[in-house]
Amino acid sequence: MRKRIIYLVVSCLISLSGFAQSYWTELEFSKKIAKNLKVEFNPELRLLNDFKMDAYILEGGLSYKLHKYLTVAGYYRFENTWDYKNSTGAYKGQVKSSRLAFDAKSGFELKRFDFQFRLRYTNGADFDQAADESNDSYFRYKAKVEYDIKGSKFIPSLSTEAFHDLNLDNVDKMRYTVGLNYPINNKNEIGLFYRLQDYSETGKETLNILGLSYSLKF
């Protein structure tokens, strides 16, 4: 049974990889610095399907476990994005932005399933525009479920995330992700995921993403 589940998830990821328009690498480094308090650093690299730079992200923050079922966190993110349509040179057409994010996370386990929920508030600004022209505020609602396969270290997962634009009061983006993680040991974990980024509410083209993830706990 466990081999069938792993084969199904891997086959799904391989078949979907042919549709990839972007490749993402997500890293997570964390260290417990006090009881229930953890510091995190979460850089990302995003490439287009021809392996041209799309964006890189530097994000860091703190998370605090208030209760068995509630963790709160705060993050600061710097993002540099390439805009090739407006580019006329090697370093032109790049957009720099920053963002603050605040999380409330919860979850529970049911038999071999691990359910996770996150509410995130974000507020960001484009460095190249006036603050009153570029502030974006969002609520992001995320639900994720992982399945612990008996007798296997592989962990398949499914998640969905809705982006609620508070300025326009509508959901302008959805993310659907299927993934497979492998804990190397109690400190290191690697993963592979496929993500569908749906902009149907805004009329933008849907984005197919193939990604790698790695996490390290110091």
Side-chain angles (χ1 to χ4, degrees):
M1 179 64 179
R2 64 177 182 268
K3 291 183 179 179
R4 290 181 180 179
I5 296 174
I6 296 170
Y7 176 78
L8 179 62
V9 176
V10 172
S11 298
C12 180
L13 289 169
I14 292 175
S15 62
L16 290 171
S17 66
F19 298 97
Q21 299 160 297
S22 188
Y23 301 100
W24 291 10
T25 301
E26 300 181 348
L27 306 176
E28 179 181 316
F29 305 100
S30 62
K31 181 176 177 58
K32 188 175 181 180
I33 56 176
K35 183 179 180 180
N36 298 330
L37 182 63
K38 183 172 63 174
V39 62
E40 299 179 24
F41 178 55
N42 308 310
E44 293 185 30
L45 176 65
R46 300 177 180 179
L47 303 175
L48 301 176
N49 59 357
D50 56 0
F51 297 102
K52 292 169 63 177
M53 284 291 298
D54 184 19
Y56 68 81
I57 295 168
L58 302 175
E59 180 180 274
L62 296 170
S63 66
Y64 184 75
K65 190 172 185 178
L66 291 171
H67 184 269
K68 179 180 179 181
Y69 297 109
L70 180 61
T71 299
V72 295
Y75 303 94
Y76 171 80
R77 167 181 287 197
F78 170 82
E79 182 171 349
N80 192 76
T81 304
W82 272 252
D83 184 354
Y84 291 99
K85 291 182 180 179
N86 297 321
S87 180
T88 57
Y91 299 100
K92 296 181 180 179
Q94 298 182 34
V95 180
K96 297 177 175 61
S97 60
S98 66
R99 187 182 76 188
L100 291 175
F102 301 95
D103 290 0
K105 308 174 189 178
S106 187
F108 62 91
E109 294 182 1
L110 179 63
K111 295 185 177 180
R112 307 195 73 85
F113 292 92
D114 182 7
F115 295 90
Q116 303 167 28
F117 307 97
R118 187 192 72 193
L119 171 63
R120 169 171 287 183
Y121 169 77
T122 67
N123 184 275
D126 185 336
F127 287 162
D128 298 324
Q129 297 183 23
D132 58 350
E133 295 178 352
S134 61
N135 280 347
D136 293 318
S137 297
Y138 280 86
F139 273 135
R140 293 168 54 174
Y141 317 99
K142 183 176 181 179
K144 181 178 181 179
V145 58
E146 297 180 342
Y147 182 69
D148 180 14
I149 303 173
K150 186 176 180 179
S152 174
K153 294 182 69 174
F154 286 98
I155 305 172
S157 65
L158 290 170
S159 70
T160 182
E161 185 174 8
F163 290 68
H164 180 192
D165 188 331
L166 298 179
N167 295 327
L168 301 177
D169 195 25
N170 69 347
V171 174
D172 65 4
K173 181 168 64 178
M174 295 289 299
R175 281 181 180 170
Y176 306 98
T177 306
V178 56
L180 187 67
N181 283 15
Y182 182 82
I184 301 171
N185 51 43
N186 62 349
K187 292 183 178 294
N188 296 266
E189 183 173 282
I190 58 174
L192 176 68
F193 64 86
Y194 167 79
R195 178 170 294 151
L196 178 69
Q197 194 151 275
D198 182 10
Y199 297 97
S200 57
E201 294 298 321
T202 62
K204 293 175 60 177
E205 183 181 359
T206 297
L207 184 63
N208 296 278
I209 302 158
L210 186 66
L212 293 171
S213 63
Y214 171 73
S215 66
L216 171 63
K217 299 176 181 178
F218 290 97

